[in-house]
């Protein structure tokens, strides 16, 4: 149901987090008109008489959370090993479930950084925006820009078996092809461009340390994307790939697993965001062992997990712009908030971890005018929990209330979110 643009509600906020300062504002009220916040009222400030009061379950309120590195499309157990036995329709239906779980977990906005079947993400985004199915606000990549046989390619099919075009939409060989693909992606509805700059942990036969998309091609993507008002998110594990992508002007480094001190200094100098998925290595280690994933995948995971965490701790100390992103889809979407606690254990304060998943994430997306804080003009996206998340960050894994665009989300049972 579309929210009524004129209906006003007054949400009591016993404790409202100011994400910019990390301070709690006590006994404020949030005036919501339709899907937006009209005002945040201090104690004693008068409220309009027509605003209907609403108390959320959970006294500790933070802005709706944002995941800058999500994969809403596809079945989790394939874990990035492309499902050539699933049709785009099947992939879309799993996206419906994933989007619902993501929203119930308190994530009201995601940047979806890739689907193997082109544009299934865009269809999901549009269905959510139309109110057909519950899910987060989405920025979509449409497909992966990747070199032939690269980390964003579907691999493993028999050599003589061709793949349908829909599975190879973003495969490029030179700068002209990059520019043409970026234009096609934008025309198809992409909000962001995702470049696979190095090999990947989960894509077989690719090396995370190896540069696959040369700097000149990444630069071509950045320039063409900018001409259409879009940012580039760069998948880069290896030290050289990270630096090439930063030099090429990408908005964010995804993974960044093997970053060195020079790479951290370059992130600082340029203001490039780092989106580090510091939890999911544990999931891959456990699930991969349980399910017998290839030894190659497990070895690559071992080579990147701790290195990435060490780099993350250094980046926290250095003051790098860290935008929360999880690679959710590799692990179940209902567990997405588990990474907040990891970030705290790696050196962030709880307030910094929450800021990374709200204000900083919104800036990374270029959406700071609409999400990431509780302020006039922003969407009324809220998460309420039952204890102070600054003293117990993991309480955010079990939201008591979630509101997206002024509408309360039906939470259901998230089940086991412990990982
Ligand atoms: Zn990913």
């Amino acid at each position: 149901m579309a929210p009524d643009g004129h209906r006003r509600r007054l949400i009591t906020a016993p404790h409202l987090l100011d994400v910019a300062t990390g301070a709690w504002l006590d006994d404020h009220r949030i005036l919501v008109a339709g899907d937006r916040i009209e005002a945040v009222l201090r104690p004693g400030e008068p409220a309009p008489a027509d605003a209907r009061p609403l108390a959320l379950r959970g006294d500790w309120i933070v802005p709706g959370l944002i995941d800058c590195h999500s994969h809403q499309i596809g079945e989790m157990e394939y874990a990035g090993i492309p499902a050539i036995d699933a049709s785009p329709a099947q992939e879309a239906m799993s996206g419906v479930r994933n989007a619902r779980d993501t929203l119930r977990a308190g994530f009201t906005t995601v940047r979806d950084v890739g689907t193997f079947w082109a544009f299934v993400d865009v269809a999901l985004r549009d269905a959510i925006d139309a109110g057909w199915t519950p899910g987060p606000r989405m920025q979509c990549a449409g497909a992966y820009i990747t070199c032939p046989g690269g980390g964003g390619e579907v691999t493993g099919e028999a050599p003589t078996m061709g793949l349908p075009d829909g599975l190879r939409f973003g495969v490029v060989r030179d700068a002209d092809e990059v520019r043409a693909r970026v234009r096609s992606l934008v025309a198809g509805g992409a909000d962001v461009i995702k470049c696979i700059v190095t090999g990947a942990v989960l894509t077989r036969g690719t090396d995370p340390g190896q540069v696959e998309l040369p700097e000149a091609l990444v630069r071509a993507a950045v320039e063409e994307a900018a001409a259409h008002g879009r940012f580039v998110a760069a998948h880069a594990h290896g030290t050289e790939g990270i630096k090439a992508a930063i030099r090429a002007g990408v908005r964010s480094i995804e993974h960044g697993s093997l970053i060195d001190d020079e790479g951290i200094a370059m992130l600082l100098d340029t203001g490039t965001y780092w989106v580090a998925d510091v939890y999911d290595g544990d999931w891959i280690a456990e699930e991969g062992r349980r399910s017998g994933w290839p030894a190659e995948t497990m070895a690559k995971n071992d080579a990147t997990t701790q290195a990435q965490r060490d780099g993350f701790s250094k980046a926290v100390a250095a003051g790098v712009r860290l935008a929360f992103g999880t690679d959710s889809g590799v692990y179940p979407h209902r567990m997405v908030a588990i990474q907040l606690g990891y970030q705290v254990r790696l050196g962030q304060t709880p307030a910094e971890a929450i800021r990374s998943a709200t204000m900083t994430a919104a800036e990374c997306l270029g959406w700071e005018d609409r999400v990431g804080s509780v302020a006039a003009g922003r969407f009324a996206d809220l998460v309420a929990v039952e204890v102070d998340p600054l003293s117990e960050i993991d309480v955010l894994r079990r939201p008591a209330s979630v509101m997206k665009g002024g509408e309360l989300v039906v939470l259901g049972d998230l089940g086991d979110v412990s990982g």
Side-chain angles (χ1 to χ4, degrees):
M1 299 283 274
D4 174 355
H6 301 291
R7 192 175 57 164
R8 290 204 283 190
R9 272 144 315 152
L10 195 60
I11 298 170
T12 49
H15 312 285
L16 173 63
L17 188 66
D18 179 343
V19 285
T21 63
W24 289 110
L25 308 171
D26 289 340
D27 301 318
H28 281 49
R29 291 178 298 172
I30 307 163
L31 180 63
V32 172
D35 60 358
R36 300 270 183 166
I37 295 164
E38 186 174 321
V40 178
L41 304 176
R42 290 186 299 276
E45 248 189 289
D50 68 329
R52 191 163 51 85
L54 174 65
L56 301 179
R57 198 175 148 218
D59 282 352
W60 307 85
I61 299 176
V62 302
L65 301 171
I66 303 170
D67 187 349
C68 295
H69 190 122
S70 181
H71 299 279
Q72 295 285 310
I73 301 303
E75 283 299 318
M76 193 263 309
E77 53 263 44
Y78 294 112
I81 303 162
I84 50 179
D85 59 347
S87 69
Q90 287 171 310
E91 296 264 282
M93 295 315 289
S94 49
V96 166
R97 179 208 52 209
N98 296 340
R100 183 201 62 202
D101 287 355
T102 299
L103 184 60
R104 286 178 172 179
F107 283 74
T108 49
T109 301
V110 302
R111 187 176 63 166
D112 192 299
V113 288
T115 163
F116 285 98
W117 279 104
F119 299 119
V120 180
D121 53 348
V122 169
L124 178 63
R125 176 199 67 195
D126 292 351
I128 292 168
D129 288 349
W132 297 353
T133 191
R137 307 175 195 293
M138 291 175 70
Q139 284 194 359
C140 297
Y144 300 104
I145 297 271
T146 188
C147 73
E153 261 269 56
V154 175
T155 56
E157 81 281 9
T160 53
M161 200 182 88
L163 287 171
D165 290 346
L167 278 173
R168 305 200 70 213
F169 196 86
V171 178
V172 294
R173 287 162 201 83
D174 57 42
D176 286 342
E177 283 192 357
V178 169
R179 292 177 189 279
R181 284 295 95 171
V182 169
R183 287 193 293 273
S184 302
L185 285 164
V186 170
D191 308 286
V192 60
I193 300 300
K194 172 77 176 297
C195 287
I196 305 296
V197 178
T198 71
V201 170
L202 293 174
T203 312
R204 296 178 200 185
T206 73
D207 174 1
Q210 194 79 39
V211 176
E212 293 184 347
L213 208 60
E215 186 175 333
L217 270 58
V218 185
R219 185 169 284 114
V222 169
E223 288 171 1
E224 195 63 37
H228 296 88
R230 306 296 198 275
F231 295 128
V232 171
H235 162 113
H237 285 286
T239 315
E240 290 315 312
I242 292 165
K243 293 174 189 175
I246 297 170
R247 284 193 299 267
V250 302
R251 182 68 164 181
S252 61
I253 296 295
E254 310 296 306
H255 310 295
S257 307
L258 306 177
I259 198 164
D260 63 6
D261 291 348
E262 188 190 20
I264 289 172
M266 289 171 69
L267 288 174
L268 267 178
D269 285 350
T270 56
T272 308
Y273 294 85
W274 184 11
V275 179
D277 50 335
V278 292
Y279 160 68
D280 67 329
D282 282 6
W283 174 270
I284 293 169
E286 286 160 34
E287 181 62 25
R289 199 178 308 116
R290 215 169 17 232
S291 306
W293 289 5
E296 175 206 328
T297 301
M298 304 306 283
K300 288 192 284 186
N301 187 56
D302 289 346
T304 50
T305 297
Q306 191 56 45
Q308 184 196 45
R309 291 174 184 178
D310 293 345
F312 184 88
S313 295
K314 285 186 188 175
V316 170
V320 168
R321 289 174 168 173
L322 296 164
F324 186 87
T326 63
D327 225 355
S328 174
V330 167
Y331 67 97
H333 294 85
R334 61 189 165 76
M335 286 170 52
V336 55
I338 194 173
Q339 187 178 301
L340 290 163
Y342 275 66
Q343 292 185 188
V344 170
R345 288 187 286 280
L346 291 171
Q348 284 189 318
T349 65
E352 286 170 341
I354 295 170
R355 190 180 306 140
S356 80
T358 53
M359 210 174 74
T360 310
E363 289 164 4
C364 177
L365 270 55
W367 274 5
E368 64 271 27
D369 60 343
R370 64 197 84 177
V371 295
S373 58
V374 178
R378 309 300 193 283
F379 284 112
D381 295 351
L382 306 170
V383 172
V385 289
E386 286 177 334
V387 298
D388 179 354
L390 299 187
S391 52
E392 192 184 323
I393 188 75
D394 282 332
V395 72
L396 286 165
R397 281 153 65 179
R398 294 191 178 278
S401 304
V402 178
M403 174 175 277
K404 181 197 164 205
E407 305 262 310
L408 275 173
V409 173
V410 178
L411 291 185
D413 184 7
L414 279 178
D416 177 18
V417 292
S418 59

